[in-house]
Amino acid sequence: MKTILGLSGSLRKASFNAGLLRAATELAPKDTRIEIGSIVEVPLYNGDVETAEGLPAAVLTLQSQLQAADGLLLVTPEYNNGIPGVFKNAIDWMSRGEGLKLFVGKPVAVIGASPGGFGTIMAQNHWLPVLRTLKCDLWTEGRLMVSRAGGLYDEAGNLTDDKTRAMLGDYITGFAASL
Ligand code: FNR
């Protein structure tokens, strides 16, 4: 069984991106399990805290999930045409301590959803220098920008649009096949 660690960069309960990730777990091929990790308990990065106390428990959990995973799926919102701070903060923490080497060579895929017309294309581009610096193996065969998300989800943030679910299924199948 292949394993993918999936992270949503939104803390919102009815998040379009968290909903996209949940749908991905349902649409993954039979030989692949997407484990959803959580960034909710990750504190703001503080070098003094790291020196005094080491890595926070939530970060250690994410690191061990990443270590056990064959691939990483980042489901990114877009804020002001960039990566939301909470998401970048979580990855920054994860890269500390023993974490840096966990990213090296790790297959990573990036998708995202937004209510706007460009579906997180700018945020996805902002991940590129980060993933290069972490020496990840970025999967580029597929792309998925979910735009106009407001019409594609139910009120609880579940992805209900059949066409988008089909595109997501193809995307995940392609990424999983590369692992
Ligand atoms: C946004 N949003 C947004 N959307 C977008 O497509 N491009 C952008 O540059 C921005 N900028 C932006 C800045 C800030 C501070 C906020 C709070 C929001 C809208 C954003 O896509 C929307 O809130 C999504 O619903 C966020 O993703 P989740 O929480 O639904 O996963």
Side-chain angles (χ1 to χ4, degrees):
M1 182 65 89
K2 298 172 191 172
T3 313
I4 296 171
L5 173 62
L7 299 178
S8 161
S10 173
L11 309 185
R12 236 164 45 84
K13 280 205 179 77
S15 154
F16 296 132
N17 289 283
L20 195 60
L21 178 53
R22 282 197 305 279
T25 67
E26 296 159 13
L27 298 167
K30 283 198 175 66
D31 67 348
T32 304
R33 191 174 68 85
I34 299 179
E35 179 176 5
I36 296 181
S38 175
I39 67 166
V40 173
E41 301 295 332
V42 176
L44 288 176
Y45 178 76
N46 182 329
D48 292 339
V49 172
E50 183 184 12
T51 302
E53 302 168 23
L55 301 189
V59 175
L60 293 172
T61 298
L62 285 165
Q63 285 183 339
S64 70
Q65 288 174 315
L66 180 62
Q67 185 166 31
D70 300 297
L72 174 64
L73 175 64
L74 299 179
V75 189
T76 189
E78 177 172 305
Y79 287 175
N80 296 317
N81 286 354
I83 302 169
V86 291
F87 206 5
K88 177 67 162 46
N89 175 69
I91 298 297
D92 289 340
W93 261 123
M94 285 175 73
S95 73
R96 301 298 292 168
E98 297 297 298
L100 194 54
K101 63 176 186 268
L102 304 179
F103 285 95
V104 176
K106 185 72 72 175
V108 178
V110 184
I111 61 177
S114 95
F118 301 99
T120 72
I121 190 166
M122 296 295 282
Q124 291 189 31
N125 285 348
H126 272 211
W127 277 105
L128 301 180
V130 178
L131 299 175
R132 182 176 58 198
T133 300
L134 295 172
K135 299 186 171 68
C136 295
D137 179 12
L138 179 68
W139 187 69
T140 57
E141 278 175 46
R143 292 195 86 171
L144 187 63
M145 280 84 65
V146 177
S147 52
R148 310 274 177 232
L152 310 176
Y153 290 76
D154 66 18
E155 281 185 7
N158 298 304
L159 182 67
T160 50
D161 182 69
D162 287 338
K163 203 171 147 195
T164 310
R165 290 181 70 90
M167 287 191 300
L168 176 61
D170 287 348
Y171 183 96
I172 292 302
T173 300
F175 181 43
S178 76
L179 299 176

